[in-house]
C-alpha cells in the first residue's frame, strides 16, 4: 500500500513537471505574422465611433512566446482603442506580457473615435500604429482612418430627458411624440438650419422637425446622413423643397443624397438603417428634384398634403425595408422616378388620393412571395373591425415600368363603396394570369399594356435600372411632354418606357 502511494506521488510530480514544460513562454523575437500590414478603418464622422475592425496575429514558430508589450503608438492619448483576445489592457490601449502559443493565433479588434481636429489638416487622415514589442524586436501594423467633419442635428437633453416632437395621434387622440427637435433659424453651431449648406454633410440623430410656417430647402450637392431611428418630419403648414440638379460626373455633384450614417462599404445597400422622410398631414407645397434616398425603413412617407400637388422629379428610392414611397390620401405628380426593392411595396398609394406618374420605373426584387412593385388602395381596416374608405380620384400611370421577381407585381386593393379611378397607358406590367375582372385591362390591349415582357435592366441588384437596346420597354411609349430622361438625355422620336432612355450596354 505504501509503495502504491509513493508511485502515485511520483506520477503526479511527473505530470505537473510535464505541464510546466508545455507552457514555458519564451520572449518574442519579432517574428510575428499579421493578416494585414495596414488596417484601413472606413471614413467616420467627427466624434462618431467607427465599426469594429479585425487584425489577426500569428505565431508560426514551434515555441510558445510572450510578447512584452502590444500598444498603440500614441499610447493612452490615442483615439484608437482595441481589445486583444478579449482583454482590455490599460484603457484599451496598452497590453503587457501577452502570451501566444506555438502555431497559434489571436484576434485584435480595433475601433476609433476622433475629432477632425486630430487628423492631418491636409488630407484629414488620422493615423497610428499597433506596436508589438520594442527595440530590435519591434513590429508595427499601421492604422489609417479618414475623419469627415459634418453639421450635426440632434435633440437637446436636459436631466437625462431628450427633446421630443409630435408625429401623430394614437387611437384615443392623444399626441404621439418621438425623440427630435425643431430646426432653428439661428443655431449656434449650424447657423440657419432651414437652408442646408453643401460644404460638409449633415448628420441627423433623432428626427429633425420643420415646424409650421417654415420651409426646409436642401440645395443640389447636399449630403444628409441619418442615424438609426432618425429622419425628417415636416409638420402641418411646413414645406420641404429639395433642389438637386443633373450631375455630369460619377461623383453626383449636383444630386442630393439621403442615406444612413454608416459609411463602410458593407452598409452601402443594407435596408432599414434609418427611419423616413415624413411629410405629415397638412404639410404643403412640397417639391423634390434630383434626390436619391437609400436604405431607409420608408423612403418617403406623404400624408394628405393639404390639397396642393407635390411634385417629384428625377428621384430614386432604393432598398427600403418597408415601402419606398408610401402615400396616404396624398396628391403627387411624379416624373422620371425610379424605386427599387422594398420589403412590402416599392410604391404604395393608399387611402385614396390623386396620383399621376409619367416615365417612372417601379421594380421590386425583394426576396419575398408577398412583395409588389405597386399597390393601390382606398380603405383602412380599424381594430374594431370597421372600415374607413377614401376616394381614389386619380391614379394614372403613363409610359411606366412595373416589374419585379414575383409573378404579380401590381396589387389593386379596392373597396367598391368609394371612388376608385385608375388608368394605365403605355405601360409594361409584370402580372401573371388572373381571371379577376378587376385586372381585365392588363389583357385587353397588347398595344397599350405589355404584360410579362422583360425590361432587361442593366443590374437590378446594384440599383441600375437602365434599359438596354433589346428591352421590351424600348420604343413602346408615346410623347407625354417629359422632354428629358432622368439623366438629362433628351427624348425625341422614340419614347422608351420608364425613367431611362435605352442604351447599348457595354460588353463584359
Amino acid at each position: 500500500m505504501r509503495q502504491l502511494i509513493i508511485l502515485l506521488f511520483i506520477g503526479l510530480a511527473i505530470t505537473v513537471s510535464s505541464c510546466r514544460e508545455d507552457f514555458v513562454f519564451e520572449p518574442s523575437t519579432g517574428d510575428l505574422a499579421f493578416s494585414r500590414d495596414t488596417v484601413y478603418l472606413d471614413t467616420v464622422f467627427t466624434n462618431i465611433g467607427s465599426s469594429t475592425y479585425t487584425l489577426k496575429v500569428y505565431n508560426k514558430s514551434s515555441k510558445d512566446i510572450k510578447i512584452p508589450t502590444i500598444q498603440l503608438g500614441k499610447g493612452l492619448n490615442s483615439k484608437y482603442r482595441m481589445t486583444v483576445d478579449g482583454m482590455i489592457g490599460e484603457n484599451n490601449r496598452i497590453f503587457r506580457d501577452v502570451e501566444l502559443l506555438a502555431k497559434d493565433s489571436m484576434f485584435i479588434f480595433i475601433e476609433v473615435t476622433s475629432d477632425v481636429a486630430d487628423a492631418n489638416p491636409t488630407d484629414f487622415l488620422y493615423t497610428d500604429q499597433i506596436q508589438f514589442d520594442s527595440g530590435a524586436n519591434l513590429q508595427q501594423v499601421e492604422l489609417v482612418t479618414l475623419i469627415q467633419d459634418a453639421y450635426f442635428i440632434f435633440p437637446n437633453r436636459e436631466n437625462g430627458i431628450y427633446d421630443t416632437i409630435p408625429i401623430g395621434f394614437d387611437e384615443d387622440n392623444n399626441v404621439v411624440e418621438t425623440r427630435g427637435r425643431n430646426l432653428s433659424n439661428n443655431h449656434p453651431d449650424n447657423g440657419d438650419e432651414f437652408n442646408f449648406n453643401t460644404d460638409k454633410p449633415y448628420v441627423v440623430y433623432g428626427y429633425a422637425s420643420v415646424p409650421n410656417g417654415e420651409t426646409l430647402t436642401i440645395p443640389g450637392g447636399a449630403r444628409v446622413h441619418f442615424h438609426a431611428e432618425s429622419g425628417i418630419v415636416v409638420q402641418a403648414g411646413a414645406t420641404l423643397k429639395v433642389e438637386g440638379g443633373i450631375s455630369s460626373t460619377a461623383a453626383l455633384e449636383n444630386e442630393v443624397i439621403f442615406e444612413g450614417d454608416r459609411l463602410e462599404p458593407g452598409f452601402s445597400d443594407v435596408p432599414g438603417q434609418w427611419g423616413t422622410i415624413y411629410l405629415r398631414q397638412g404639410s404643403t407645397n412640397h417639391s423634390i428634384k434630383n434626390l436619391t434616398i437609400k436604405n431607409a425603413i420608408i423612403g418617403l412617407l406623404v400624408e394628405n398634403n393639404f390639397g396642393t400637388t407635390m411634385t417629384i422629379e428625377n428621384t430614386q428610392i432604393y432598398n427600403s425595408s418597408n415601402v419606398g414611397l408610401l402615400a396616404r390620401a396624398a396628391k403627387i405628380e411624379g416624373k422620371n422616378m425610379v424605386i427599387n426593392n422594398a420589403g412590402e411595396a416599392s410604391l404604395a398609394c393608399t387611402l385614396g388620393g390623386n396620383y399621376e406618374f409619367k416615365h417612372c420605373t417601379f421594380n421590386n426584387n425583394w426576396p419575398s412571395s408577398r412583395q409588389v412593385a405597386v399597390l393601390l388602395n382606398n380603405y383602412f381596416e380599424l381594430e374594431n373591425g370597421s372600415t374607413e374608405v377614401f376616394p381614389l380620384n386619380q391614379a394614372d400611370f403613363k409610359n411606366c415600368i412595373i416589374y419585379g421577381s414575383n409573378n404579380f407585381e401590381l396589387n389593386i386593393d379596392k373597396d367598391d363603396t368609394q371612388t376608385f379611378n385608375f388608368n394605365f397607358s403605355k405601360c409594361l406590367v409584370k402580372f401573371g394570369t388572373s381571371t379577376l375582372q378587376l385586372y381585365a385591362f392588363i389583357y385587353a390591349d397588347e398595344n397599350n399594356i405589355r404584360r410579362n415582357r422583360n425590361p432587361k435592366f442593366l443590374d437590378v441588384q446594384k440599383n441600375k435600372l437602365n434599359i438596354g437596346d433589346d428591352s421590351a420597354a424600348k420604343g413602346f411609349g408615346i410623347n407625354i411632354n417629359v422632354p428629358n430622361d432622368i439623366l438629362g438625355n433628351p427624348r425625341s422620336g422614340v419614347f422608351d418606357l420608364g425613367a431611362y432612355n435605352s442604351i447599348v450596354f457595354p460588353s463584359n
Side-chain angles (χ1 to χ4, degrees), residues 90-313:
E90 298 177 30
N91 202 26
N92 292 105
R93 288 164 174 83
I94 300 174
F95 302 77
R96 304 185 190 278
D97 296 328
V98 179
E99 298 172 346
L100 185 56
L101 297 175
K103 305 297 183 180
D104 201 358
S105 61
M106 64 182 177
F107 286 97
I108 297 179
F109 298 101
I110 308 127
E111 299 176 344
V112 66
T113 304
S114 180
D115 190 285
V116 70
D118 300 316
N120 186 321
T122 59
D123 56 17
F124 301 103
L125 294 178
Y126 181 71
T127 61
D128 203 344
Q129 311 86 32
I130 303 177
Q131 298 178 346
F132 299 82
D133 210 336
S134 59
N137 294 329
L138 174 65
Q139 293 179 270
Q140 295 187 150
V141 173
E142 300 297 321
L143 303 175
V144 180
T145 308
L146 177 65
I147 309 298
Q148 187 168 5
D149 199 8
Y151 296 102
F152 291 91
I153 298 174
F154 52 87
N156 301 312
R157 184 172 65 173
E158 186 173 348
N159 298 323
I161 300 176
Y162 285 95
D163 289 346
T164 58
I165 60 166
I167 58 169
F169 301 89
D170 63 17
E171 293 182 355
D172 298 321
N173 209 34
N174 298 313
V175 175
V176 176
E177 297 186 332
T178 191
R179 183 180 296 181
R181 71 166 174 86
N182 285 333
L183 297 177
S184 169
N185 287 294
N186 189 23
H187 190 272
D189 297 320
N190 301 335
D192 182 3
E193 294 179 324
F194 293 109
N195 291 281
F196 277 18
N197 298 311
T198 59
D199 57 328
K200 53 187 179 181
Y202 286 76
V203 181
V204 179
Y205 282 75
Y207 278 85
S209 173
V210 185
N212 180 28
E214 297 286 357
T215 297
L216 171 59
T217 301
I218 303 178
R223 302 291 187 262
V224 187
H225 299 266
F226 299 94
H227 194 62
E229 301 179 1
S230 299
I232 294 173
V233 176
V234 182
Q235 306 287 358
T239 299
L240 173 66
K241 293 190 178 298
V242 178
E243 299 178 342
I246 299 291
S247 299
S248 59
T249 73
L252 301 176
E253 67 280 2
N254 296 321
E255 186 94 0
V256 176
I257 299 177
F258 291 170
E259 59 185 323
D261 65 346
R262 300 295 297 271
L263 305 183
E264 306 93 316
F267 284 85
S268 60
D269 294 314
V270 176
Q273 294 180 45
W274 55 283
T276 186
I277 307 302
Y278 182 16
L279 311 182
R280 291 190 63 192
Q281 179 172 331
S283 61
T284 184
N285 292 319
H286 309 299
S287 63
I288 292 176
K289 293 181 179 179
N290 297 92
L291 168 66
T292 294
I293 301 175
K294 298 172 57 180
N295 308 328
I297 296 174
I298 298 175
L300 191 59
L301 171 55
V302 185
E303 288 186 340
N304 194 341
N305 41 309
F306 213 52
T308 60
T309 300
M310 176 182 183
T311 59
I312 307 176
E313 300 180 37

Side-chain angles (χ1 to χ4, degrees), residues 376 392 394-397 412 414 420-424 438 441:
L376 302 180
L392 180 66
Q394 176 189 13
D396 291 345
F397 295 80
I412 298 176
K414 176 183 179 183
F420 200 99
N421 293 322
F422 63 88
N423 181 63
F424 291 78
L438 182 61
F441 72 95

